Each structure stands twice: as C-alpha cells, then as structure tokens.
Amino acid sequence: MNNAISGPSGNGVQQSISVAVVTAVARRRGADPTDLPPLYEWIDPDALDALFSPTRRGGSRDGRLEFTYDGHEVAVDCTDGASITIDGTPVGESVATGLEASASTDA
C-alpha cells in the first residue's frame, strides 16, 4: 500500500499523512517538527495513515477527518488528493496521494 504524499513543503519528498500533518503544524508555528509533541498523544499516526491508504484492490479512499493537535484544528481531506488544513487555512495546494493512478486501473 502506498499512503505517501508529497509533503506540504512542495519539495516532492514522499511522506506519510501523519508526517505531513506534523510538518504543516510546525511550518504554521515557524518551528522545527521535532520541537512539537508526538502526534500519538492526540491521534494514532498509524490509524491516520491507514485511513487514507489505498483499498486492498488499490482504489482510493475518500473522506475527511478533523482533530486537534497541540492546540491546532487539523483537517485532512482526501478526494482527488490529500489536502491538509490547519486552523481553517489550507496548507499549500492539494498534494497527490499516488492513489489516482491505481484507482484508474481498477476498472
């Protein structure tokens, strides 16, 4: 399963949704991601990644999840890609999840 996304930095580096959330909150604060508390104190990172991973047949999953992380309201929306919103502000453009190609081959 490929639940990696191009991170909110837009640098093309593949990272999981959970890492992208921590990175986005850190950027919003102007801090280093390692300065933030662990994401698992608010939400299970493995469950977050699995929620937006491809289906067993490789198809995409659609959905939206909202939660609080260290005082910030976070929303992850996965329809045509993954988008992350922190405190109501989108973090960059929607980032590709790599699921679109596998969904088109499922027909």
Side-chain angles (χ1 to χ4, degrees), residues 2-3 52-55 58-61 78 96-104:
N2 175 12
N3 60 349
F52 295 105
S53 68
T55 64
S60 65
R61 296 184 194 255
C78 192
T97 61
L99 304 178
E100 294 80 15
S102 61
S104 64

Side-chain angles (χ1 to χ4, degrees), residues 3-92:
N3 60 349
I5 63 172
S6 294
S9 63
N11 60 10
V13 174
Q14 297 291 301
Q15 59 185 345
S16 66
I17 297 234
S18 57
V19 171
V21 166
V22 173
T23 302
V25 170
R27 290 185 79 207
R28 174 123 173 118
R29 287 187 174 181
D32 188 272
T34 59
D35 293 336
L36 298 179
L39 184 61
Y40 65 76
E41 291 181 5
W42 281 265
I43 191 168
D44 181 337
D46 293 332
L48 176 61
D49 293 338
L51 187 63
F52 295 105
S53 68
T55 64
R56 290 184 183 169
R57 291 188 170 176
S60 65
R61 296 184 194 255
D62 294 335
R64 179 178 175 89
L65 178 68
E66 297 179 13
F67 60 95
T68 300
Y69 170 51
D70 199 31
H72 294 277
E73 294 301 317
V74 176
V76 178
D77 193 349
C78 192
T79 45
D80 292 332
S83 63
I84 299 172
T85 304
I86 307 295
D87 297 328
T89 303
V91 177

